């Protein structure tokens, strides 16, 4: 593949169907297609609304969407500063190793600096060696002493039941 120029841009509501397909590819890659509940309506209501809950960066080559990063703001009490939580980063397989992931991370760094943020956090699957190597190459520290925790819908419901 020749090295074409790529563009990183903020997604907008006209990108919903494109973004939906990229989400589906990410779920397939992660082996959790059965858990995919996103719909165009849900994306519109939560991401492309007056007060978005998160933001989407799209990567494109010649107007062809090839990847994305989703993120939202967080706050660190230890730093007393905001930061960014990188929720998902995905690039279609045939476009990996072209610098697109690095460009997405750099854009997130610019956004973090703009909000005077202190850090960018995310998780990576322990068996995703290529991603771990990429993130370490980008300067990320893989923190082994922390564990990802989650209360799912059912647990939340049980904890709030009368």
């Amino acid at each position: 593949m020749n090295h074409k120029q790529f563009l990183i841009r903020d997604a907008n509501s006209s990108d919903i169907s494109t973004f939906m397909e990229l989400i589906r590819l990410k779920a397939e890659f992660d082996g959790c297609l059965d858990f995919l509940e996103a719909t165009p309506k849900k994306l519109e209501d939560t991401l492309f609304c007056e007060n978005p809950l998160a933001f989407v960066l799209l990567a494109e080559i010649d107007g062809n969407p090839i990847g994305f990063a989703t993120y939202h703001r967080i706050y660190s009490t230890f730093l007393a500063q905001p930061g960014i939580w990188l929720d998902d980063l995905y690039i279609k397989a045939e476009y990996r190793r072209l610098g697109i992931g690095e460009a997405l991370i750099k854009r997130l760094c610019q956004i973090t600096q703009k909000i005077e943020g202190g850090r960018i956090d995310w998780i990576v699957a322990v068996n995703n060696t290529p991603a771990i190597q990429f993130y370490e190459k980008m300067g990320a520290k893989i923190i082994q002493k922390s564990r990802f925790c989650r209360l799912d819908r059912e647990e939340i419901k049980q904890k709030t039941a009368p």
Side-chain angles (χ1 to χ4, degrees), residues 13-151:
S13 60
S14 68
D15 297 310
I16 290 175
S17 62
T18 296
F19 182 46
M20 192 69 220
E21 178 56 25
L22 288 169
I23 293 169
R24 189 185 155 308
L25 290 171
K26 167 91 168 78
E28 222 172 77
F29 174 80
D30 288 345
C32 59
L33 199 51
D34 292 347
F35 297 107
L36 182 60
E37 295 183 14
T39 65
K41 176 76 169 121
K42 284 182 177 181
L43 294 175
E44 185 177 344
D45 291 348
T46 58
L47 299 178
F48 303 106
C49 56
E50 187 174 335
N51 294 307
L53 300 176
F55 304 93
V56 182
L57 296 174
L58 278 182
E60 298 179 335
I61 291 182
D62 296 332
N64 176 33
I66 57 164
F68 72 93
T70 56
Y71 67 95
H72 58 86
R73 288 177 67 160
I74 58 173
Y75 185 80
S76 168
T77 53
F78 284 12
L79 298 176
Q81 281 183 281
I84 295 287
W85 178 267
L86 169 60
D87 192 52
D88 283 318
L89 188 144
Y90 175 78
I91 299 161
K92 290 180 179 179
E94 63 269 28
Y95 296 99
R96 294 179 190 152
R97 300 187 184 278
L98 298 178
I100 298 160
E102 184 174 348
L104 286 164
I105 295 288
K106 284 182 178 179
R107 177 65 63 85
L108 290 170
C109 289
Q110 292 168 346
I111 293 165
T112 304
Q113 283 186 322
K114 188 175 180 179
I115 65 168
E116 298 182 13
R119 66 185 194 209
I120 302 171
D121 291 330
W122 67 95
I123 60 170
V124 61
V126 295
N127 62 347
N128 192 345
T129 304
I132 292 169
Q133 291 171 343
F134 165 72
Y135 292 139
E136 288 178 329
K137 180 181 152 208
M138 292 298 301
K141 294 162 189 65
I142 309 297
I143 301 166
Q144 302 294 336
K145 61 183 176 183
S146 295
R147 298 288 179 160
F148 182 68
C149 300
R150 173 181 292 153
L151 288 174

